[in-house]
Amino acid sequence: MNIPLKNNDSAELKALDLAHHLPAQADYALLEQLGGSRIITHAEGCVITDIDGKSLLDGMAGLWCVNVGYGRSELAEAAYKQMLELPYYNTFFKTATAPAVRLAAKIAEKMVLGNPDLKHVFFNSSGSEANDTVFRLVRHYWTLEGEPERQVFISRRNAYHGSTVAGASLGGMTFMHAQGGLPIPGIEHVRQPYLFGEGFGQDPDAFADACVQDIEDRILSVGPDKVAAFIGEPVQGAGGVVIPPESYWPKVEALCRKYGILLICDEVICGFGRLGQWFGHQHYGVKPDVIAMAKGLSSGYLPISAVGVSSQIVEVLKTGGDFVHGYTYSGHPAACAVALANIGIIEREGLIERTREVTGPYLAQALKRLDGHPLVGEARSIGLLGAVEIVAEMGTNTRFKGAEGHAGPVVRDICIKNGLMVRGIRDTIVMCPPLIITEGEIDRIVEILEASLTEAEPVLRAL
Ligand SMILES: *Cc1c(COP(=O)(O)O)cnc(C)c1O
């Protein structure tokens, strides 16, 4: 693909960006100092290119979402065809569209692989909206069930469930709560299963037990008959690719069953192949009652999200008249058509199996090469989600200057300069490449990471 650029495009767009555009999750004063955002103009496969002609290997699949990679004309054609036929119709008031219905059935086909009761789908346009839907639907369910006291959600500290009022409240990021007077009432945050950060050197199963005990203690202190649900990402993504010990999720599930609490998995990142299964909970062998999905559902080509709901819950909803919830764009036909085509690509190209059997294990192996680096405390991965912990002393969890947050941005910026787009979350460099990534590209990711860590070392030692 060849996109001709005018010489002044870059300067002009950066100036307009600073003058008029407020980018998401950004420090506007810092952007001003930097002279504006990096403007991405085009992309192909696993490579993105900016307006100044710099190409980067996209180690983040956009924002954890471009699972089938860039440049898929099939997805553009699906949108084009649908927009000519029926660009829009809603799903309010006893109407639906063919792509929405077909996509719901297709998602159900994948959900029942893990939980045969998970067969129903409610559409939204973003992960945050999906979690808002979850929040209202679950509370409404308990009221109809005759247990209106069950309104409390238990979530984890450092979880990410979105940026809307309910999403950010369910999330466990205190710096997000600080803006806007969050969390809203009725949400309790418990320990996260972050072994490197909070259980360093401990036996993983004993650490999982301690995390699960914290959930049980909270259930008991809130009152078991007041807890509606437990919500968690199978693997916390934006929290820093926090991979729980394998025994964690089955124990959480058993605890939910013990107290009659609903189990909700936020599959916004883990869904659609990231962990080598259609959904992350299928990797851990647990059966949630409700799941949220977005990102990989359409590989980010159009905004769409969905909430998967069990038949048991839907039967109860049927006793309550209208579920007075929904968005203008719930089940948007073009977005649904693109999601269907996207799932078609994942199936046809065997991207789930490839992640599970080929590229996931290859990434794990490649990351081992970083274990001997003086700045690496741990390199870990599951499927095609990876993380590298930057520390001041190899093999420890001692951070630079004794606190988190100094090293991450430095290493991240050097990686980007060296041609790799990654994210630095505190002092954790995270990776989430497109599922089409090749072994050669994985090697390249690890090479750039290693060289960038080495380049960062003198900078960090001089802090
Ligand atoms: C990205 C994300 C969300 C929010 O999705 P948006 O589309 O940005 O609203 C929710 N949950 C998880 C786990 C996410 O990673």
Side-chain angles (χ1 to χ4, degrees), residues 64 125-129 131 160-163 233 238 266-269 294-295:
W64 324 82
S125 302
S126 69
S128 303
E129 284 179 12
N131 284 319
Y160 190 74
H161 297 300
S163 212
E233 305 152 75
D266 183 340
E267 294 279 356
V268 171
I269 287 177
K295 297 187 169 121

Side-chain angles (χ1 to χ4, degrees), residues 11-352:
E12 184 194 354
L13 283 171
K14 284 177 185 172
L16 290 173
D17 180 51
L18 285 177
H20 303 293
H21 178 217
L22 300 174
Q25 307 268 3
D27 175 339
Y28 303 125
L30 180 66
L31 275 181
E32 205 161 56
Q33 272 175 36
L34 296 173
S37 308
R38 178 188 299 277
I39 314 261
I40 305 298
T41 52
H42 55 289
E44 186 68 38
C46 294
V47 177
I48 56 174
T49 303
D50 75 17
I51 199 164
D52 300 314
K54 184 178 177 66
S55 288
L56 296 140
L57 188 51
D58 187 6
M60 283 307 297
L63 200 53
W64 324 82
C65 56
V66 188
N67 287 10
V68 299
Y70 299 92
R72 296 286 196 158
S73 50
E74 197 176 327
L75 298 192
E77 278 152 19
Y80 179 74
K81 206 165 147 261
Q82 183 57 44
M83 287 173 90
L84 289 179
E85 196 173 305
L86 179 70
Y88 173 76
Y89 204 75
N90 60 76
T91 61
F92 281 45
F93 314 131
K94 300 186 281 190
T95 63
T97 64
V101 174
R102 290 201 190 286
L103 179 59
K106 184 49 114 176
I107 292 171
E109 178 192 312
K110 306 308 179 191
M111 293 194 298
V112 298
L113 297 174
N115 179 0
D117 203 40
L118 212 44
K119 289 197 284 218
H120 306 269
V121 174
F122 190 101
F123 288 115
N124 330 260
S125 302
S126 69
S128 303
E129 284 179 12
N131 284 319
D132 275 52
T133 295
V134 166
F135 193 76
R136 293 194 64 208
L137 186 143
V138 163
R139 286 185 163 184
H140 177 51
Y141 160 81
W142 281 119
T143 302
L144 292 175
E145 262 288 78
E147 295 196 62
E149 300 286 293
R150 282 199 189 262
Q151 298 285 297
V152 176
F153 281 74
I154 298 183
S155 177
R156 281 95 53 91
R157 286 194 275 275
N158 198 36
Y160 190 74
H161 297 300
S163 212
T164 52
V165 170
S169 294
L170 286 169
M173 304 205 165
T174 48
F175 57 91
M176 288 185 77
H177 295 162
Q179 297 179 352
L182 304 179
I184 52 175
I187 299 172
E188 299 279 328
H189 295 95
V190 297
R191 259 182 108 163
Q192 57 173 332
Y194 182 21
L195 187 64
F196 182 85
E198 299 182 6
F200 191 75
Q202 289 179 29
D203 171 66
D205 291 324
F207 177 70
D209 285 341
C211 293
V212 175
Q213 187 60 51
D214 192 43
I215 306 172
E216 183 159 23
D217 290 348
R218 195 65 64 91
I219 293 171
L220 293 172
S221 71
V222 169
D225 52 351
K226 293 198 171 56
V227 180
F230 175 86
I231 182 169
E233 305 152 75
V235 173
Q236 282 155 268
V241 182
V242 174
I243 305 169
E246 286 285 325
S247 61
Y248 174 82
W249 275 109
K251 285 172 182 160
V252 170
E253 180 182 44
L255 193 64
C256 289
R257 300 302 167 227
K258 178 174 171 189
Y259 292 103
I261 295 165
L262 295 178
L263 176 61
I264 305 167
C265 288
D266 183 340
E267 294 279 356
V268 171
I269 287 177
C270 296
F272 300 94
R274 191 50 60 192
L275 307 190
Q277 298 287 344
W278 282 96
F279 296 103
H281 67 266
Q282 293 171 351
H283 169 87
Y284 291 108
V286 296
K287 293 184 169 58
D289 303 285
V290 176
I291 66 176
M293 66 196 86
K295 297 187 169 121
L297 169 57
S298 66
S299 286
Y301 277 61
L302 280 180
I304 182 167
S305 69
V307 175
V309 187
S310 71
S311 297
Q312 189 261 325
I313 292 177
V314 173
E315 286 312 309
V316 174
L317 293 181
K318 286 179 184 169
T319 67
D322 283 351
F323 178 39
V324 286
H325 178 81
Y327 308 99
T328 302
Y329 301 127
S330 284
H332 191 284
C336 289
V338 168
L340 273 166
N342 173 63
I343 293 171
I345 291 176
I346 296 174
E347 287 175 340
R348 199 175 66 227
E349 299 185 2
L351 295 178
I352 308 256

